[in-house]
Amino acid sequence: MTEFGFIDHIRTLFAALPDNGFEGIGDDCAVLPLQGGESLLFTADLLTEGVHFLRHATTARELGCKSLAVNLSDVAAMGGRPVATLLSIALPADAAGAWAEEFMEGYRTLSEEYGVALIGGDTTASKGGVTINVTAIGRAADGCIKRRSGARPGDVLLTAGLLGESGAGLQDLLQGRCDTPCAAIHRMPRPQVDEGLWLGTRSEVTAMMDLSDGLASDVRHIMECSGVGADIDLERIPTAPGIDLRTAACAGEDYKLLLCAEASGVDSLMEAFEARFGAPLYPLGRITGTHELRWCEHGTPSPLDWQGFHHY
Ligand code: ADP
Ligand code: MG
């Protein structure tokens, strides 16, 4: 069974159980509406040694930052503000001392930067490698929450940053080149927390998610959740300098926001974003009513069938 097949299985298995007021499985975060027009957001991500990271190719401090960053990115993807985390960690004997302390320093640095409290978790020994699970909690005004399900035919598809650096960095790491700029980005991605919060306040934005598995894979989540298709213009994919197009379109872990915006408001959205952040939003395609993903070359659909990303 694939990862997404298993998630579908879980969803079906639990469909008849009470939801207790939660909007559950399927988006970057689960949503619990509170009284007074605000909601809590919940998300969890697991990082396993040998699958998501190689201990010899990253410092403990970088991994501490990254473990938190990937969760903050999911809160940002819903338009929320991260407020607290729970951290569970399994440590083999050779990581239980100085390594674990350095890990926590990295985790604390990023927590401090975003004003996020660490409110609990669990610590255990491991007979295998290091395993880290972070649960992040966010808050959002109900009207600012952006879901994967809001895209409509005619919307413009955009990313809030250049793509492919993390994927190229992974290739560097796997080939033993640990000191390249892309390798550093792969080890320590910057979550778009401020950008997500700001985009949440913009009514032109109809749908949003973060790019963790690669554009080619993640855009399909917006398509499925919204019941739409997408045409992506190959020549407009915002490829980071020196990165090939396929890496930008398919490699994962960029943690840039992917969003849809009403066509009539997209110019003012882009102008305001650039004025606020000093960096552009990149329009790269359109939402369609076809239910398929098409990679277009200067307006003409190509036969490409690119898929997303697989970890190590
Ligand atoms: P993301 O990449 O944003 O972290 P995923 O693709 O990992 O999201 O997960 C998709 C959805 O499935 C999310 O809503 C997530 O909470 C849910 N999910 C993933 N694994 C499980 C699981 N083991 N049990 C319940 N829900 C899960
Ligand atoms: Mg996500």
Side-chain angles (χ1 to χ4, degrees):
M1 206 184 318
T2 65
E3 176 190 339
F4 295 125
F6 183 58
I7 294 171
D8 282 344
H9 170 76
I10 293 173
R11 216 173 167 171
T12 310
L13 191 64
F14 281 74
L17 271 63
D19 62 17
N20 296 335
F22 282 81
E23 210 178 285
I25 300 174
D27 217 313
D28 292 286
C29 296
V31 181
L32 178 67
L34 304 173
Q35 305 291 324
E38 253 207 330
S39 289
L40 288 178
L41 306 172
F42 299 86
T43 179
D45 263 306
L46 188 66
L47 279 82
T48 312
E49 184 171 351
V51 179
H52 300 93
F53 63 92
L54 304 169
R55 219 185 324 158
H56 67 261
T58 183
T59 66
R61 186 183 302 273
E62 287 167 337
L63 194 60
C65 277
K66 182 167 182 173
S67 308
L68 179 56
V70 300
N71 283 275
L72 301 187
S73 180
D74 277 323
V75 174
M78 304 285 295
R81 176 188 300 283
V83 292
T85 63
L86 296 148
L87 166 65
S88 297
I89 186 159
L91 294 164
D94 63 350
W99 191 95
E101 284 177 17
E102 206 195 302
F103 174 92
M104 288 315 305
E105 277 171 30
Y107 196 95
R108 187 187 184 284
T109 300
L110 204 64
S111 298
E112 188 172 23
E113 185 175 335
Y114 291 108
V116 178
L118 176 57
I119 58 165
D122 196 17
T123 306
T124 174
S126 168
K127 292 263 161 64
V130 174
T131 298
I132 303 145
N133 173 253
V134 175
T135 299
I137 302 165
R139 299 180 79 120
D142 292 339
C144 293
I145 296 175
K146 303 298 181 188
R147 294 172 174 80
R148 296 176 177 184
S149 56
R152 297 290 170 262
D155 286 354
V156 179
L157 186 69
L158 308 100
T159 61
L162 299 172
L163 304 181
E165 285 165 314
S166 182
L170 173 58
Q171 291 309 318
D172 289 344
L173 287 175
L174 293 176
Q175 290 162 16
R177 295 192 305 273
C178 296
D179 54 358
T180 67
C182 286
I185 289 168
H186 178 80
R187 289 193 303 261
M188 231 165 74
R190 197 188 74 77
Q192 295 194 296
V193 173
D194 295 333
E195 293 88 338
L197 262 175
W198 186 89
L199 288 163
T201 66
R202 299 292 301 205
S203 60
E204 305 94 328
V205 178
T206 55
M208 190 155 70
M209 66 178 298
D210 69 327
L211 286 167
S212 55
D213 293 339
L215 173 65
S217 172
D218 285 333
V219 70
R220 293 175 212 268
H221 295 310
I222 288 186
M223 289 166 47
E224 273 168 36
C225 293
S226 299
V228 297
D231 283 357
I232 295 181
D233 299 322
L234 290 165
E235 63 280 3
R236 294 204 298 169
I237 292 175
T239 305
I243 309 296
D244 69 280
L245 185 60
R246 186 166 186 167
T247 299
C250 300
E253 302 212 61
D254 276 315
Y255 298 105
K256 299 289 181 358
L257 296 170
L258 177 70
L259 56 135
C260 301
E262 287 162 358
S264 58
V266 76
D267 289 343
S268 61
L269 177 75
M270 288 172 62
E271 208 174 293
F273 185 92
E274 187 146 7
R276 170 69 182 78
F277 295 104
L281 287 174
Y282 298 92
L284 69 160
R286 292 157 305 286
I287 297 300
T288 66
T290 63
H291 298 269
E292 39 168 350
L293 173 58
R294 299 187 301 188
W295 303 94
C296 301
E297 246 176 321
H298 302 288
T300 308
S302 80
L304 287 176
D305 183 26
W306 284 349
Q307 304 291 324
F309 161 76
H310 298 283
H311 285 283
Y312 297 103

